[in-house]
Amino acid sequence: MTTHLVWFRADLRLHDNIALAAACRSQNARVLAVFIATPDQWRQHDMAPRQASYLRAHLNGLQQGLAERGIPLIYEEVSDFAAQSAKVQQLCEQHAVTHLFYNYQYEFNEQQRDRQLEKTLDGVVCQGFDDSVMLPPGSVMTGNHEMYKVFTPFKNAFVKRLKEGLPECVAAPAAREQKLPPPAEIDFNYPQQDFDAERFPASEKAAIAQLRHFCQHGAGEYEARRDFPSIDGTSRLSACLALGVLSPRQCLHRLLAEQPRALDGGEGAVWLNELIWREFYRHLMTYHPDLCKHRPFIRWTDNVQWQHDEVLLQAWRDGKTGYPIVDAAMRQLNETGWMHNRLRMIVASFLVKDLLIDWRAGERYFMAQLIDGDLAANNGGWQWAASTGTDAAPYFRIFNPTTQGQRFDDKGEFIRQWLPSLRDVPIKSVHEPWVWADKTGVKLDYPRPIVDHKQARVATLAAYEAARKV
C-alpha cells in the first residue's frame, strides 16, 4: 500500500487545498497529515502572539475536519527549520511514506528548506504545488522574460492571464474509510494572546461565510468605503489569507460570482487589485530573495542616514506622537492586532519620513503585533511607504499626518474611538488638539507633537537626496 503524507504549513484549510486534494486523489492510498510547529523560528521572525493564538485555533479546527474525513493529523513541535526537515524525514521512515505532498512557500529560508529536503529524502516522491497564489511565480513576466518591477503593467498582464483561463478551485477531500476518535487539543510552546473571534473567524466555515458576505455586500462599494477607518469597509480577510485558511482562488471565484464585471474594471475591481498586489509581492519575493533579508529593493536607499532614537520610536509604538490619526491607529494595532490599510500607510510614512527612523524597525514591530502578519505583504507595504521598494511612493512624497487625518477621518470618529482623552475636543479641532488647548486653556491628557512636520519634511528630503549622491 502507498502512504501519502500531507505536510501542512501556511495552508490550514480543507477546501481548495491543492496538496491535500492531490494526496487524497487515490482512494487506495493511506493518507496522513502533519503540522510541525517551530517556536524558535517564529521568535526569530517576530510572530505576533495574537497570530499564534489564531493559528492554534485554526490548527485545531483543521485537525477536527481531517479526522472527520478519516485523515489523522500528526502534531510535532521542534525548534527550527533544520529540525523540521529532520522530523519530516523521520516521519517518512516511521510510517513508510511513499509520497510527500506540500504547498510551496516563497520565503527564502522556506524555499531553501524544501530544496534541501527533496535532496535528502530517499525513495519518497516529493510533490509541491503553487497553492498560496492565483497564478504561479514565473507565469506573469515581461516580454524579456523578467519579473515586473512596476505594479500596473504586472496587473494588466495578470488580468489578461486570468481572462484567458481562471485557476480552478479543488474540492475538499471526501471522507475515507478509516474512522478516527475525536482528536486531542493541540497547543504549542509560544506566547499567545486573545483575538477578536467575531472580527476574525476562528473556523474555515466561518471564513468562507465572511468571504461570501463581503463579496455580496462589500466588494461593490469597496472603492468608495475602503479609505475611511471609521467605516467597516474592508474585507478583514487578510488574517485568513496569511494562514491559508482561505485561498486567493476562493476569493477570486467568489468575487466574480457576485461581481462579474470585476475583471473588466467594474464593481469589485478595486478589491481584485488588492488581491493582485498580494500576488505581486509574492512573485517579487521569489525573484528577489533579498527582500526576505531586510534589504531594500532600491539599493541607494541603504545609504539614508537614519535616526536611532529609541524615545521617538517608543512614542510611535505607544501611540503617543501628538498626531491623533497616527496615535489612534497605533493604539488600534496594539489592542486588536490589526490596523486599517490606509492607516498602515499613514503610520509608516510618519515613522520613516517624519521621524526618519529606519523602516525595518517599523516592519519588525508590525510583524510582532499583526494577526495578519505576512512577510511579503508587510515588507512590500513598508518598502512602498519608505520609498525603498519596487514601484514605491517617490521619496519626495511625504504624507502630512494632520491633513491625512482630516481627509480620511474628517469628523474624528475613529480618533475619538481610540483616544478617549480627545472626546470633548470640538470636531474642527480634533486633528490639532494642541492648538485648541492653547487657545482655550484646557488641559489635555494628550501629548504635544514630538516633531514638527514641516521641519521633518525638509530634513527627510535632505537625507534622501544625500543618500542618492553617495
Side-chain angles (χ1 to χ4, degrees):
M1 173 185 284
T2 57
T3 299
H4 293 177
L5 179 63
V6 187
W7 182 8
F8 282 90
R9 289 99 77 95
D11 49 2
L12 305 183
R13 66 184 182 280
L14 299 173
H15 295 81
D16 195 35
N17 188 314
I18 300 176
L20 177 62
C24 295
R25 199 160 287 136
S26 169
Q27 285 298 317
N28 297 323
R30 180 174 65 134
V31 179
L32 308 173
V34 64
F35 182 89
I36 308 170
T38 53
D40 286 357
Q41 203 83 36
W42 295 346
R43 287 185 183 89
Q44 289 177 32
H45 292 88
D46 302 299
M47 181 195 279
R50 278 194 183 88
Q51 188 173 46
S53 182
Y54 191 59
L55 187 157
R56 183 176 60 83
H58 281 293
L59 186 58
N60 277 291
L62 174 68
Q63 179 183 231
Q64 180 65 41
L66 288 170
E68 291 168 0
R69 288 162 171 78
I71 303 170
L73 176 69
I74 302 165
Y75 174 78
E76 299 283 354
E77 187 171 314
V78 299
S79 58
D80 54 23
F81 285 161
Q84 198 177 45
S85 296
K87 179 58 70 174
V88 171
Q89 190 168 2
Q90 178 189 331
L91 289 170
C92 286
E93 294 169 359
Q94 181 182 343
H95 296 281
V97 171
T98 55
H99 295 74
L100 176 66
F101 297 82
Y102 55 87
N103 294 314
Y104 293 131
Q105 294 180 284
Y106 301 113
E107 296 86 351
F108 178 76
N109 289 338
E110 285 83 335
Q111 287 197 64
Q112 293 288 97
R113 173 201 61 198
D114 291 350
R115 287 171 186 156
Q116 187 60 40
L117 182 63
E118 287 177 6
K119 294 176 184 177
T120 305
L121 282 177
D122 231 0
V124 178
V125 177
C126 296
Q127 296 188 38
F129 302 89
D130 290 291
D131 175 82
S132 70
V133 288
M134 288 183 270
L135 298 176
S139 64
V140 182
M141 306 289 276
T142 69
N144 294 327
H145 303 289
E146 296 176 347
M147 176 59 202
Y148 284 96
K149 297 179 182 178
V150 178
F151 175 72
T152 299
F154 174 84
K155 180 199 73 173
N156 293 339
F158 196 96
V159 169
K160 182 180 178 183
R161 282 290 311 273
L162 291 180
K163 288 181 176 180
E164 291 169 356
L166 295 178
E168 294 182 0
C169 287
V170 296
R176 306 179 80 77
E177 292 183 3
Q178 184 179 8
K179 301 299 181 184
L180 298 175
E185 181 87 4
I186 292 174
D187 200 359
F188 37 68
N189 181 28
Y190 192 84
Q192 294 176 52
Q193 192 172 2
D194 290 342
F195 61 91
D196 186 342
E198 185 177 338
R199 290 187 177 273
F200 302 102
S203 76
E204 184 178 354
K205 182 179 179 181
I208 292 171
Q210 185 178 344
L211 169 63
R212 183 182 297 112
H213 184 269
F214 174 76
C215 289
Q216 289 173 344
H217 304 288
E221 299 178 350
Y222 179 74
E223 182 176 12
R225 294 164 58 87
R226 65 174 178 152
D227 278 322
F228 303 97
S230 64
I231 299 173
D232 194 15
T234 64
S235 72
R236 291 187 184 266
L237 293 170
S238 53
C240 293
L241 284 165
L243 296 185
V245 178
L246 291 172
S247 81
R249 295 175 301 282
Q250 287 174 292
C251 296
L252 173 67
H253 280 275
R254 177 48 56 187
L255 175 65
L256 294 178
E258 306 296 344
Q259 310 291 343
R261 295 183 55 248
L263 277 176
D264 297 311
E267 289 186 346
V270 176
W271 193 60
L272 175 61
N273 276 1
E274 295 302 309
L275 294 175
I276 298 174
W277 268 107
R278 179 181 179 276
E279 299 273 316
F280 183 52
Y281 288 139
R282 273 178 142 64
H283 287 220
L284 272 171
M285 193 167 61
T286 304
Y287 283 89
H288 299 280
D290 273 3
L291 296 175
C292 300
K293 302 175 183 178
H294 310 292
R295 294 172 185 162
F297 188 87
I298 300 174
R299 290 302 176 87
W300 66 260
T301 61
D302 233 358
N303 299 324
V304 175
Q305 296 299 302
W306 306 109
Q307 285 198 82
H308 300 284
D309 191 318
E310 188 58 36
V311 173
L312 292 179
L313 177 59
Q314 193 61 48
W316 175 83
R317 289 183 187 129
D318 292 342
K320 295 181 179 179
T321 68
Y323 287 92
I325 195 67
V326 173
D327 294 340
M330 293 304 294
R331 295 189 194 188
Q332 179 188 43
L333 173 65
N334 292 336
E335 189 167 321
T336 70
W338 185 83
M339 187 190 291
H340 187 279
N341 189 56
R342 166 57 60 176
L343 301 179
R344 296 188 196 205
M345 292 189 281
I346 293 171
V347 302
S349 177
F350 185 85
L351 180 73
V352 177
K353 295 182 177 177
D354 279 80
L355 303 184
L356 200 58
I357 288 176
D358 194 328
W359 56 272
R360 284 160 283 219
E363 178 192 24
R364 183 169 187 176
Y365 187 71
F366 264 36
M367 285 301 288
Q369 298 297 322
L370 286 171
I371 193 171
D372 62 357
D374 174 278
L375 176 61
N378 190 50
N379 178 270
W382 273 96
Q383 293 222 41
W384 184 90
S387 305
T388 63
T390 180
D391 203 19
Y395 72 91
F396 48 80
R397 182 183 297 165
I398 300 176
F399 285 172
N400 181 318
T402 301
T403 57
Q404 286 285 308
Q406 292 167 339
R407 181 177 177 187
F408 296 113
D409 189 33
D410 59 339
K411 295 179 180 179
E413 294 173 81
F414 178 80
I415 287 170
R416 294 170 197 278
Q417 178 184 353
W418 293 101
L419 302 177
S421 62
L422 300 185
R423 284 177 183 164
D424 295 331
V425 177
I427 289 176
K428 64 180 182 180
S429 301
V430 75
H431 299 285
E432 296 180 297
W434 58 90
V435 176
W436 173 78
D438 287 346
K439 286 181 179 178
T440 61
V442 173
K443 290 186 177 181
L444 284 178
D445 182 22
Y446 182 70
R448 300 183 72 84
I450 59 174
V451 65
D452 179 275
H453 173 70
K454 289 182 180 179
Q455 294 175 7
R457 186 178 187 279
V458 171
T460 294
L461 288 175
Y464 274 78
E465 286 161 6
R468 289 185 69 192
K469 297 173 183 176
V470 173

